[in-house]
């Protein structure tokens, strides 16, 4: 089970790691992405906020998202509801990240377990949205850390539980692929493993386990 405290842990670890590079230029590419490191951190914050907003509403339609407005700051950039102004420094962006993480953790903590809300990868429950927030944070931090030259290796237990919640097929068939963090990176198309090519088309399964 992934919980509200796991969301807080993932976001806290990410923010702590990024603060070591707060003085760097975050406009460099984030790993293999077409986004900059700054845009990618905005995307993490945006996803955390969106998951909180989706889960917070009682009776959310099971076939659509809460219709928050959004924009792209450039054609190739991420679509964002939550973003910072160009004049905001990196520390300000980290505050936005932590705020969005806190919102998701708070909503997950108080939402009834039976609540369901729409996501394109499957109608999900509070634990599922918590897991989505954790995976988005861990994996996109891998992209940002690559761009900024930072070490990033999240806790194995957190990676394992995230795999078991959102990538049940992977968790059940890849016990010999090395660390759970490496397996999560493979599951999300970040790398190839011996005998297993890099996944080009992947998605998680957010539906609650039966």
């Amino acid at each position: 089970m992934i919980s509200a405290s796991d969301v807080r842990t993932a976001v806290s670890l990410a923010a702590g790691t990024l603060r070591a590079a707060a003085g760097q230029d975050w406009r460099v590419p984030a790993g293999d992405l077409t986004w900059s490191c700054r845009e990618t951190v905005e995307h993490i914050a945006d996803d955390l906020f969106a998951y909180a907003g989706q889960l917070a509403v009682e009776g959310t339609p099971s076939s659509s998202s809460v219709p928050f407005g959004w924009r792209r700051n450039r054609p190739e950039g991420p679509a964002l509801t939550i973003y910072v102004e160009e004049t905001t420094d990196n520390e300000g962006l980290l505050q936005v990240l932590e705020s969005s993480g806190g919102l998701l953790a708070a909503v997950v903590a108080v939402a009834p377990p039976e609540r369901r809300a729409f996501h394109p990868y499957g109608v999900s429950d509070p634990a599922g949205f918590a897991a989505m927030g954790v995976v988005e944070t861990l994996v996109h931090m891998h992209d940002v850390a690559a761009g900024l030259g930072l070490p990033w290796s999240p806790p194995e237990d957190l990676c394992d539980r995230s795999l078991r919640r959102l990538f049940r097929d992977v968790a059940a068939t890849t016990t010999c692929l090395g660390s759970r963090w490496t397996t999560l990176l493979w599951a999300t198309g970040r790398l190839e493993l011996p005998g297993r090519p890099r996944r080009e088309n992947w998605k998680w399964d957010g539906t609650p386990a039966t």
Side-chain angles (χ1 to χ4, degrees):
M1 182 72 72
I2 298 290
S3 67
S5 64
D6 293 315
V7 176
R8 292 189 182 278
T9 294
V11 173
S12 177
L13 289 172
T17 298
L18 288 168
R19 281 197 167 90
Q24 293 182 219
D25 183 357
W26 290 11
R27 292 171 294 182
V28 299
D32 295 335
L33 303 183
T34 59
W35 304 337
S36 70
C37 291
R38 185 177 173 93
E39 289 173 330
T40 305
V41 176
E42 285 182 313
H43 171 74
I44 300 171
D46 186 74
D47 273 348
L48 296 170
F49 171 85
Y51 296 158
Q54 195 70 8
L55 191 60
V57 181
E58 293 185 32
T60 302
S62 61
S63 60
S64 63
S65 299
V66 177
F68 293 111
W70 56 270
R71 75 176 195 183
R72 296 182 193 273
N73 291 326
R74 62 185 183 91
E76 300 81 12
L80 300 169
T81 298
I82 298 300
Y83 56 89
V84 296
E85 299 296 341
E86 285 292 327
T87 54
T88 302
D89 62 13
N90 293 334
E91 175 57 34
L93 176 53
L94 290 178
Q95 292 173 19
V96 172
L97 173 64
E98 291 172 318
S99 177
S100 291
L103 286 172
L104 177 57
V107 173
V108 168
V110 300
E114 64 273 15
R115 180 164 297 172
R116 300 292 183 266
F118 173 78
H119 187 276
Y121 293 173
V123 173
S124 198
D125 58 356
F129 278 96
M132 294 179 213
V134 167
V135 168
E136 285 285 343
T137 302
L138 299 187
V139 173
H140 278 307
M141 261 302 298
H142 167 78
D143 303 324
V144 175
L148 297 177
L150 296 170
W152 177 246
S153 182
E156 282 287 289
D157 173 66
L158 187 56
C159 297
D160 181 64
R161 287 185 288 117
S162 298
L163 281 165
R164 293 180 184 279
R165 180 59 180 83
L166 295 181
F167 298 93
R168 292 186 282 270
D169 57 332
V170 172
T173 60
T174 57
T175 56
C176 299
L177 293 181
S179 73
R180 302 312 276 166
W181 172 225
T182 300
T183 303
L184 182 59
L185 290 175
W186 177 77
T188 53
R190 261 58 185 186
L191 47 76
E192 64 180 40
L193 292 172
R196 294 178 183 266
R198 187 168 180 169
R199 300 178 93 190
E200 297 296 332
N201 298 303
W202 62 270
K203 64 179 183 179
W204 60 59
D205 179 4
T207 57
T210 55

